[in-house]
Amino acid sequence: MSGNTRPVGLVSVVMPARNAETTIAAQLEALSRQTYPDPWEVVVVLDGSNDGTRELLRHWQRRMPQLRVVESAGARGVNRARNTGCRHARGEFVLVCDADDVVAPGWMEGLVEALRTSPAAGGALERRLLNGPVALAARPPKKADALLDTFGFLPYPAGANCGFHRELWNHLGGFDESYRYGGDDTEFFWRAQLAGHRLAFAPHAVVHYRLRAEVPAIARQFYSYGRSHPKLYRDFAGRGMPSSRLGDAARAWWTLLVHAPHLAGPADRRAPFVAQLALRAGRLVSSARHRRCYL
């Protein structure tokens, strides 16, 4: 890759992990095969795991001396775990990934290259490798050539594939721990941009992204996503986040009504219907809670 080749010192990878016994070994194996040539460390943050994740990590620490394991104290939540990891990280650049995904060999190198010239960056999410037809029906693959822009406001990277200067994390006061799931990554990178910091897209930093494979798990995830949207609107409407459009919401509910028979169909037909139903239901519930209408 071209660009500034100035050494950056130690790079820290922060990885929250909760009950990740069945997936984290693949992620650690992928990290061990990174093409990045300079020193790096991995900080795995145990976030209330009660399976065999802890014991598995002890085995990996013997294989990866740069792997450290810390505990996230207090209430669980991905942003609390990320903040815990950042406090223990020793690198100038902090990269964040998840314990159930698999980073491509050039992931670390791609993010570091982007962070040489930008205080924060995000990479691309690839959805096909780790997922079957039900998961892909609920969240079809998209062209991964830019940061996410779900709300028509500001772009943002996924928390499963992002990086930032430690100085930026300090300046922003870390991730907002009131966002426990959904909006957790969005709010941090929106605050960064609103504070005047530029984000970069790192196309060579690819993460093979694992989706929920069972319809009930898909429903829970999309319900959580939906519940976060009115909260984001409450926090950012005054800074330019547009409101949802009533017409769009009405059309979405009408489409759900028309396609209600999909509930009796096979899983790959139920999954996208249930995902959108759960998302809209989460928005309704959270709009009432936060007294902000975002449907």
Side-chain angles (χ1 to χ4, degrees):
M1 296 180 187
S2 63
N4 186 353
T5 58
R6 178 181 65 86
V8 298
L10 183 70
V11 170
S12 297
V13 177
V14 169
M15 185 196 309
R18 182 168 185 263
N19 294 336
E21 179 182 12
T22 62
T23 60
I24 196 170
Q27 182 68 294
L28 292 170
E29 179 69 34
L31 286 168
S32 73
R33 297 179 178 179
Q34 290 298 291
T35 59
Y36 182 67
D38 295 322
W40 53 274
E41 65 172 359
V42 179
V43 181
V44 174
V45 185
L46 288 172
D47 186 28
S49 290
N50 55 20
D51 65 353
T53 304
R54 185 178 283 100
E55 290 72 23
L56 186 63
L57 288 170
R58 292 194 187 102
H59 163 76
W60 273 91
Q61 283 181 300
R62 292 192 291 271
R63 179 175 171 182
M64 292 178 67
Q66 69 270 52
L67 171 62
R68 293 188 291 132
V69 180
V70 300
E71 298 271 356
S72 180
R76 291 194 296 267
V78 66
N79 274 354
R80 177 177 287 268
R82 288 170 182 154
N83 284 337
T84 298
C86 289
R87 281 191 288 270
H88 285 84
R90 297 177 293 204
E92 175 185 349
F93 292 173
V94 178
L95 315 183
V96 181
C97 62
D98 286 344
D100 58 349
D101 299 327
V102 174
V103 296
W107 173 75
M108 194 180 300
E109 189 174 2
L111 277 178
V112 169
E113 183 73 9
L115 291 173
R116 292 181 190 275
T117 55
S118 296
L125 299 180
E126 186 284 317
R127 298 184 181 182
R128 293 190 182 275
L129 182 66
L130 302 179
N131 302 295
V134 174
L136 292 174
R139 299 181 70 173
K142 299 178 181 179
K143 190 175 181 180
D145 58 356
L147 297 171
L148 301 171
D149 186 12
T150 307
F151 303 94
F153 178 38
L154 294 170
Y156 59 94
N161 187 2
C162 64
F164 42 85
H165 294 191
R166 182 182 179 85
E167 182 181 1
L168 175 63
W169 179 82
N170 287 332
H171 175 70
L172 295 176
F175 290 88
D176 185 340
E177 295 181 9
S178 70
Y179 285 84
R180 294 172 61 87
Y181 193 89
D184 44 88
D185 40 18
T186 310
E187 70 79 28
F188 178 83
F189 292 103
W190 281 1
R191 281 193 288 124
Q193 291 168 90
L194 291 168
H197 302 284
R198 186 172 68 89
L199 268 63
F201 177 63
H204 301 292
V206 177
V207 165
H208 301 292
Y209 190 49
R210 193 185 305 273
L211 305 172
R212 301 295 187 270
E214 304 292 335
V215 174
I218 291 169
R220 289 191 295 271
Q221 183 181 51
F222 273 77
Y223 181 74
S224 295
Y225 287 161
R227 288 193 64 179
S228 74
H229 296 172
K231 180 177 171 65
L232 284 168
Y233 184 60
R234 181 199 68 185
D235 292 346
F236 291 96
R239 307 193 70 179
M241 179 181 175
S243 63
S244 60
R245 296 178 179 177
L246 187 59
D248 290 344
R251 282 189 291 273
W253 280 106
W254 174 252
T255 300
L256 287 168
L257 180 62
V258 169
H259 291 94
H262 287 344
L263 279 172
D268 60 346
R269 292 184 67 187
R270 277 186 287 127
F273 175 85
V274 168
Q276 292 306 307
L277 178 62
L279 180 80
R280 295 289 168 175
R283 284 186 175 188
L284 279 175
V285 170
S286 188
S287 289
R289 176 183 178 186
H290 295 294
R291 298 182 180 180
R292 289 281 188 164
C293 184
Y294 195 92
L295 304 176

